[in-house]
Amino acid sequence: MADRTAALLERPQPPRPPGTGSLTALPLGLLKTARPRQWVKNVLVVAAPAAAGELFSRHSLMQLVVVFALFTAAASAVYLINDARDAEADRAHPTKCRRPVAAGQVPVTLAYAVGGLLAVLAPVAAAAFCTPLTAGLLAAYVVMQLAYCVSLKHILVVDLAVVTTGFLMRAMIGGLALDIPLSRWFLITTGFGALFMVSAKRYSEAVQMSGKAGATRALLTEYTTGYLRFVWQLAAGVAVLAYCLWAMESGGTANGSLLPWRQLSMAAFVLAVLRYAVFADRGTAGEPEDVVLRDRALAVIGLVWIAMYGLAVADW
């Protein structure tokens, strides 16, 4: 009995969030659980329309705003349900215990209810305001991510594939909403580019957790750093090759523009991959948006690439 009492006392207790009793505590807790910092990933919905030069019409912009909002709602639903499901385990974690559901700021039943409502409403709204393919892709995303929360995140390689597919779905949905044909090279470049970033993040986590049992997701203990390094290097190589083939698909001429911007953009793309690989190799590649924002050189290279590709689309 004494041992059990001592174990309970040593168990990390979630801190009581400030303002728990206020009227704004619950809405703020729900918002925090929905991971607003992760919403920036949903900007990928503009990728296909931007690549096709269909981004700046009023209809396209309005449709993409709707798609962005619906994808954000679907992703938020997954986060809410995931945190509700993992609440008990998170309370025993040194940092996850501060999550609103684990800390008691948001009741588990409410997180399930709001998450379930958003998971249903997002595809239904997509069917009403977008195309049937958009609604189908959004529903598939929700089902896949919920399956990931329940079991797929515990399966080697499958976890990498699911997270990568989530990024690919974001890049595809804008094109489906606007009935834009998706280039096979666009899909290959986006898919393997996403795998590069996902596996680089996993590799960095594995390097940082070396010798720190239980510091992060349990599945990482089953991967070797050598294997994860192989994955991100393979993905980087395929992404670069696919982009070069995509850029050269229309030939090496300028097609009436001042310079062959599409072909020249290959240099910026390769430089961006090489720069990102520096952080992957060091084991410091965390969330992709954090890597880009904290490294000025990578941000500048990315802007140069966007400018070049934009000039190619505009045929200047």
PDB file of all heavy atoms in Angstrom, residues 6 10 16 21 36 51-52 70 87 96 107 119 122 124 136 145 157 164 170 172 203 240 257 267 281 312:
ATOM      1  N   ALA A   6       3.377   5.976  -2.731  1.00  0.00           N
ATOM      2  CA  ALA A   6       4.594   6.676  -3.153  1.00  0.00           C
ATOM      3  C   ALA A   6       4.641   6.826  -4.670  1.00  0.00           C
ATOM      4  O   ALA A   6       5.044   7.869  -5.188  1.00  0.00           O
ATOM      5  CB  ALA A   6       5.823   5.919  -2.662  1.00  0.00           C
ATOM      6  N   GLU A  10       4.809  10.305  -6.871  1.00  0.00           N
ATOM      7  CA  GLU A  10       5.895  10.581  -7.805  1.00  0.00           C
ATOM      8  C   GLU A  10       5.397  10.796  -9.223  1.00  0.00           C
ATOM      9  O   GLU A  10       6.087  11.367 -10.048  1.00  0.00           O
ATOM     10  CB  GLU A  10       6.895   9.422  -7.798  1.00  0.00           C
ATOM     11  CG  GLU A  10       7.669   9.316  -6.486  1.00  0.00           C
ATOM     12  CD  GLU A  10       8.539   8.082  -6.471  1.00  0.00           C
ATOM     13  OE1 GLU A  10       8.543   7.354  -7.493  1.00  0.00           O
ATOM     14  OE2 GLU A  10       9.210   7.840  -5.452  1.00  0.00           O
ATOM     15  N   ARG A  16      -2.687  22.860 -13.056  1.00  0.00           N
ATOM     16  CA  ARG A  16      -4.016  23.418 -13.261  1.00  0.00           C
ATOM     17  C   ARG A  16      -3.886  24.649 -14.144  1.00  0.00           C
ATOM     18  O   ARG A  16      -3.187  25.600 -13.808  1.00  0.00           O
ATOM     19  CB  ARG A  16      -4.641  23.811 -11.923  1.00  0.00           C
ATOM     20  CG  ARG A  16      -6.067  24.356 -12.060  1.00  0.00           C
ATOM     21  CD  ARG A  16      -6.625  24.681 -10.678  1.00  0.00           C
ATOM     22  NE  ARG A  16      -7.935  25.266 -10.757  1.00  0.00           N
ATOM     23  CZ  ARG A  16      -9.064  24.591 -10.870  1.00  0.00           C
ATOM     24  NH1 ARG A  16      -9.011  23.275 -10.950  1.00  0.00           N
ATOM     25  NH2 ARG A  16     -10.235  25.194 -10.934  1.00  0.00           N
ATOM     26  N   GLY A  21     -11.613  28.403 -14.336  1.00  0.00           N
ATOM     27  CA  GLY A  21     -13.018  28.672 -14.024  1.00  0.00           C
ATOM     28  C   GLY A  21     -13.621  29.791 -14.837  1.00  0.00           C
ATOM     29  O   GLY A  21     -14.801  30.097 -14.692  1.00  0.00           O
ATOM     30  N   PRO A  36      -3.690  25.168 -33.498  1.00  0.00           N
ATOM     31  CA  PRO A  36      -3.650  26.245 -34.516  1.00  0.00           C
ATOM     32  C   PRO A  36      -2.304  26.358 -35.225  1.00  0.00           C
ATOM     33  O   PRO A  36      -2.259  26.717 -36.403  1.00  0.00           O
ATOM     34  CB  PRO A  36      -3.944  27.507 -33.686  1.00  0.00           C
ATOM     35  CG  PRO A  36      -4.688  27.028 -32.488  1.00  0.00           C
ATOM     36  CD  PRO A  36      -4.130  25.672 -32.185  1.00  0.00           C
ATOM     37  N   ALA A  51       0.364  25.653 -59.191  1.00  0.00           N
ATOM     38  CA  ALA A  51       1.200  25.013 -60.210  1.00  0.00           C
ATOM     39  C   ALA A  51       0.558  25.069 -61.586  1.00  0.00           C
ATOM     40  O   ALA A  51       1.250  25.107 -62.611  1.00  0.00           O
ATOM     41  CB  ALA A  51       1.472  23.556 -59.821  1.00  0.00           C
ATOM     42  N   ALA A  52      -0.788  25.097 -61.616  1.00  0.00           N
ATOM     43  CA  ALA A  52      -1.505  25.129 -62.899  1.00  0.00           C
ATOM     44  C   ALA A  52      -1.816  26.552 -63.351  1.00  0.00           C
ATOM     45  O   ALA A  52      -2.400  26.746 -64.423  1.00  0.00           O
ATOM     46  CB  ALA A  52      -2.801  24.333 -62.778  1.00  0.00           C
ATOM     47  N   LEU A  70     -12.354  23.847 -44.490  1.00  0.00           N
ATOM     48  CA  LEU A  70     -12.873  22.495 -44.270  1.00  0.00           C
ATOM     49  C   LEU A  70     -11.760  21.520 -43.906  1.00  0.00           C
ATOM     50  O   LEU A  70     -11.932  20.651 -43.045  1.00  0.00           O
ATOM     51  CB  LEU A  70     -13.620  22.019 -45.520  1.00  0.00           C
ATOM     52  CG  LEU A  70     -14.907  22.778 -45.854  1.00  0.00           C
ATOM     53  CD1 LEU A  70     -15.530  22.242 -47.143  1.00  0.00           C
ATOM     54  CD2 LEU A  70     -15.911  22.669 -44.710  1.00  0.00           C
ATOM     55  N   ALA A  87      -5.845  10.786 -23.361  1.00  0.00           N
ATOM     56  CA  ALA A  87      -5.823  11.652 -22.179  1.00  0.00           C
ATOM     57  C   ALA A  87      -5.139  10.982 -20.987  1.00  0.00           C
ATOM     58  O   ALA A  87      -4.296  11.586 -20.312  1.00  0.00           O
ATOM     59  CB  ALA A  87      -7.240  12.077 -21.806  1.00  0.00           C
ATOM     60  N   LYS A  96       3.219  16.280 -22.237  1.00  0.00           N
ATOM     61  CA  LYS A  96       1.866  16.143 -22.777  1.00  0.00           C
ATOM     62  C   LYS A  96       0.793  16.309 -21.703  1.00  0.00           C
ATOM     63  O   LYS A  96      -0.377  16.516 -22.016  1.00  0.00           O
ATOM     64  CB  LYS A  96       1.706  14.786 -23.472  1.00  0.00           C
ATOM     65  CG  LYS A  96       2.532  14.649 -24.737  1.00  0.00           C
ATOM     66  CD  LYS A  96       2.322  13.295 -25.395  1.00  0.00           C
ATOM     67  CE  LYS A  96       3.143  13.153 -26.666  1.00  0.00           C
ATOM     68  NZ  LYS A  96       2.941  11.830 -27.320  1.00  0.00           N
ATOM     69  N   PRO A 107     -13.136  18.653 -20.893  1.00  0.00           N
ATOM     70  CA  PRO A 107     -13.582  17.298 -20.562  1.00  0.00           C
ATOM     71  C   PRO A 107     -13.393  16.344 -21.739  1.00  0.00           C
ATOM     72  O   PRO A 107     -13.548  16.736 -22.898  1.00  0.00           O
ATOM     73  CB  PRO A 107     -15.073  17.492 -20.253  1.00  0.00           C
ATOM     74  CG  PRO A 107     -15.221  18.935 -19.907  1.00  0.00           C
ATOM     75  CD  PRO A 107     -14.199  19.658 -20.739  1.00  0.00           C
ATOM     76  N   ALA A 119     -15.652  16.057 -37.599  1.00  0.00           N
ATOM     77  CA  ALA A 119     -15.289  14.973 -38.517  1.00  0.00           C
ATOM     78  C   ALA A 119     -16.422  14.650 -39.485  1.00  0.00           C
ATOM     79  O   ALA A 119     -16.192  14.261 -40.637  1.00  0.00           O
ATOM     80  CB  ALA A 119     -14.900  13.726 -37.727  1.00  0.00           C
ATOM     81  N   ALA A 122     -17.292  18.320 -41.792  1.00  0.00           N
ATOM     82  CA  ALA A 122     -16.334  18.751 -42.817  1.00  0.00           C
ATOM     83  C   ALA A 122     -16.600  18.070 -44.181  1.00  0.00           C
ATOM     84  O   ALA A 122     -16.744  18.770 -45.196  1.00  0.00           O
ATOM     85  CB  ALA A 122     -14.904  18.494 -42.353  1.00  0.00           C
ATOM     86  N   VAL A 124     -19.380  16.590 -45.166  1.00  0.00           N
ATOM     87  CA  VAL A 124     -20.744  16.946 -45.591  1.00  0.00           C
ATOM     88  C   VAL A 124     -20.749  18.339 -46.215  1.00  0.00           C
ATOM     89  O   VAL A 124     -21.361  18.572 -47.265  1.00  0.00           O
ATOM     90  CB  VAL A 124     -21.719  16.875 -44.393  1.00  0.00           C
ATOM     91  CG1 VAL A 124     -23.073  17.475 -44.781  1.00  0.00           C
ATOM     92  CG2 VAL A 124     -21.896  15.437 -43.944  1.00  0.00           C
ATOM     93  N   GLY A 136     -15.112  13.281 -50.979  1.00  0.00           N
ATOM     94  CA  GLY A 136     -14.592  11.924 -50.811  1.00  0.00           C
ATOM     95  C   GLY A 136     -13.177  11.916 -50.269  1.00  0.00           C
ATOM     96  O   GLY A 136     -12.841  11.110 -49.393  1.00  0.00           O
ATOM     97  N   GLN A 145      -6.775   9.214 -40.806  1.00  0.00           N
ATOM     98  CA  GLN A 145      -6.122   9.792 -39.638  1.00  0.00           C
ATOM     99  C   GLN A 145      -6.652   9.202 -38.332  1.00  0.00           C
ATOM    100  O   GLN A 145      -5.893   9.013 -37.366  1.00  0.00           O
ATOM    101  CB  GLN A 145      -6.305  11.316 -39.640  1.00  0.00           C
ATOM    102  CG  GLN A 145      -5.570  12.027 -40.758  1.00  0.00           C
ATOM    103  CD  GLN A 145      -4.062  11.823 -40.692  1.00  0.00           C
ATOM    104  OE1 GLN A 145      -3.466  11.819 -39.625  1.00  0.00           O
ATOM    105  NE2 GLN A 145      -3.445  11.645 -41.845  1.00  0.00           N
ATOM    106  N   VAL A 157       6.821   1.673 -40.781  1.00  0.00           N
ATOM    107  CA  VAL A 157       6.737   2.099 -42.173  1.00  0.00           C
ATOM    108  C   VAL A 157       5.342   2.626 -42.508  1.00  0.00           C
ATOM    109  O   VAL A 157       5.195   3.664 -43.159  1.00  0.00           O
ATOM    110  CB  VAL A 157       7.141   0.976 -43.161  1.00  0.00           C
ATOM    111  CG1 VAL A 157       7.067   1.476 -44.601  1.00  0.00           C
ATOM    112  CG2 VAL A 157       8.544   0.479 -42.854  1.00  0.00           C
ATOM    113  N   THR A 164       2.759  10.904 -44.599  1.00  0.00           N
ATOM    114  CA  THR A 164       3.103  11.414 -45.926  1.00  0.00           C
ATOM    115  C   THR A 164       1.855  11.578 -46.784  1.00  0.00           C
ATOM    116  O   THR A 164       1.691  12.587 -47.485  1.00  0.00           O
ATOM    117  CB  THR A 164       4.089  10.457 -46.622  1.00  0.00           C
ATOM    118  OG1 THR A 164       5.289  10.378 -45.852  1.00  0.00           O
ATOM    119  CG2 THR A 164       4.420  10.934 -48.022  1.00  0.00           C
ATOM    120  N   ARG A 170      -3.484  17.017 -48.838  1.00  0.00           N
ATOM    121  CA  ARG A 170      -3.602  18.476 -48.768  1.00  0.00           C
ATOM    122  C   ARG A 170      -3.253  19.104 -50.116  1.00  0.00           C
ATOM    123  O   ARG A 170      -3.918  20.042 -50.576  1.00  0.00           O
ATOM    124  CB  ARG A 170      -2.660  19.022 -47.691  1.00  0.00           C
ATOM    125  CG  ARG A 170      -3.094  18.774 -46.264  1.00  0.00           C
ATOM    126  CD  ARG A 170      -2.015  19.264 -45.300  1.00  0.00           C
ATOM    127  NE  ARG A 170      -2.437  19.236 -43.915  1.00  0.00           N
ATOM    128  CZ  ARG A 170      -2.321  18.194 -43.105  1.00  0.00           C
ATOM    129  NH1 ARG A 170      -1.789  17.058 -43.572  1.00  0.00           N
ATOM    130  NH2 ARG A 170      -2.729  18.253 -41.855  1.00  0.00           N
ATOM    131  N   MET A 172      -3.428  17.707 -53.040  1.00  0.00           N
ATOM    132  CA  MET A 172      -4.343  17.274 -54.099  1.00  0.00           C
ATOM    133  C   MET A 172      -5.693  17.964 -54.040  1.00  0.00           C
ATOM    134  O   MET A 172      -6.311  18.230 -55.072  1.00  0.00           O
ATOM    135  CB  MET A 172      -4.565  15.754 -54.002  1.00  0.00           C
ATOM    136  CG  MET A 172      -3.377  14.909 -54.349  1.00  0.00           C
ATOM    137  SD  MET A 172      -3.676  13.153 -53.985  1.00  0.00           S
ATOM    138  CE  MET A 172      -5.116  12.823 -55.019  1.00  0.00           C
ATOM    139  N   TYR A 203      13.869  10.978 -38.081  1.00  0.00           N
ATOM    140  CA  TYR A 203      15.293  10.727 -37.865  1.00  0.00           C
ATOM    141  C   TYR A 203      15.835  11.659 -36.778  1.00  0.00           C
ATOM    142  O   TYR A 203      16.574  11.222 -35.882  1.00  0.00           O
ATOM    143  CB  TYR A 203      16.052  10.938 -39.170  1.00  0.00           C
ATOM    144  CG  TYR A 203      17.563  10.881 -39.029  1.00  0.00           C
ATOM    145  CD1 TYR A 203      18.220   9.660 -38.900  1.00  0.00           C
ATOM    146  CD2 TYR A 203      18.320  12.048 -39.011  1.00  0.00           C
ATOM    147  CE1 TYR A 203      19.604   9.607 -38.760  1.00  0.00           C
ATOM    148  CE2 TYR A 203      19.694  12.002 -38.878  1.00  0.00           C
ATOM    149  CZ  TYR A 203      20.334  10.781 -38.755  1.00  0.00           C
ATOM    150  OH  TYR A 203      21.702  10.734 -38.611  1.00  0.00           O
ATOM    151  N   VAL A 240      13.826  15.134 -56.060  1.00  0.00           N
ATOM    152  CA  VAL A 240      14.629  15.967 -56.960  1.00  0.00           C
ATOM    153  C   VAL A 240      14.512  15.467 -58.398  1.00  0.00           C
ATOM    154  O   VAL A 240      14.314  16.254 -59.334  1.00  0.00           O
ATOM    155  CB  VAL A 240      16.098  15.986 -56.506  1.00  0.00           C
ATOM    156  CG1 VAL A 240      16.995  16.558 -57.603  1.00  0.00           C
ATOM    157  CG2 VAL A 240      16.248  16.804 -55.230  1.00  0.00           C
ATOM    158  N   SER A 257       8.623  33.286 -73.094  1.00  0.00           N
ATOM    159  CA  SER A 257       9.006  34.073 -71.927  1.00  0.00           C
ATOM    160  C   SER A 257      10.455  34.536 -72.071  1.00  0.00           C
ATOM    161  O   SER A 257      11.187  34.070 -72.945  1.00  0.00           O
ATOM    162  CB  SER A 257       8.833  33.256 -70.647  1.00  0.00           C
ATOM    163  OG  SER A 257       9.636  32.105 -70.687  1.00  0.00           O
ATOM    164  N   ALA A 267      17.368  24.579 -60.164  1.00  0.00           N
ATOM    165  CA  ALA A 267      18.522  24.907 -59.322  1.00  0.00           C
ATOM    166  C   ALA A 267      18.075  25.319 -57.926  1.00  0.00           C
ATOM    167  O   ALA A 267      18.648  24.874 -56.921  1.00  0.00           O
ATOM    168  CB  ALA A 267      19.338  26.018 -59.970  1.00  0.00           C
ATOM    169  N   ASP A 281      20.575  15.965 -41.498  1.00  0.00           N
ATOM    170  CA  ASP A 281      21.820  15.275 -41.185  1.00  0.00           C
ATOM    171  C   ASP A 281      22.279  15.557 -39.753  1.00  0.00           C
ATOM    172  O   ASP A 281      22.838  14.689 -39.085  1.00  0.00           O
ATOM    173  CB  ASP A 281      22.904  15.693 -42.175  1.00  0.00           C
ATOM    174  CG  ASP A 281      24.192  14.909 -42.000  1.00  0.00           C
ATOM    175  OD1 ASP A 281      24.166  13.685 -42.202  1.00  0.00           O
ATOM    176  OD2 ASP A 281      25.208  15.519 -41.641  1.00  0.00           O
ATOM    177  N   ALA A 312       7.370  31.280 -64.491  1.00  0.00           N
ATOM    178  CA  ALA A 312       7.137  30.245 -65.510  1.00  0.00           C
ATOM    179  C   ALA A 312       5.642  30.077 -65.772  1.00  0.00           C
ATOM    180  O   ALA A 312       5.207  29.969 -66.923  1.00  0.00           O
ATOM    181  CB  ALA A 312       7.735  28.914 -65.026  1.00  0.00           C
TER     182      ALA A 312
END
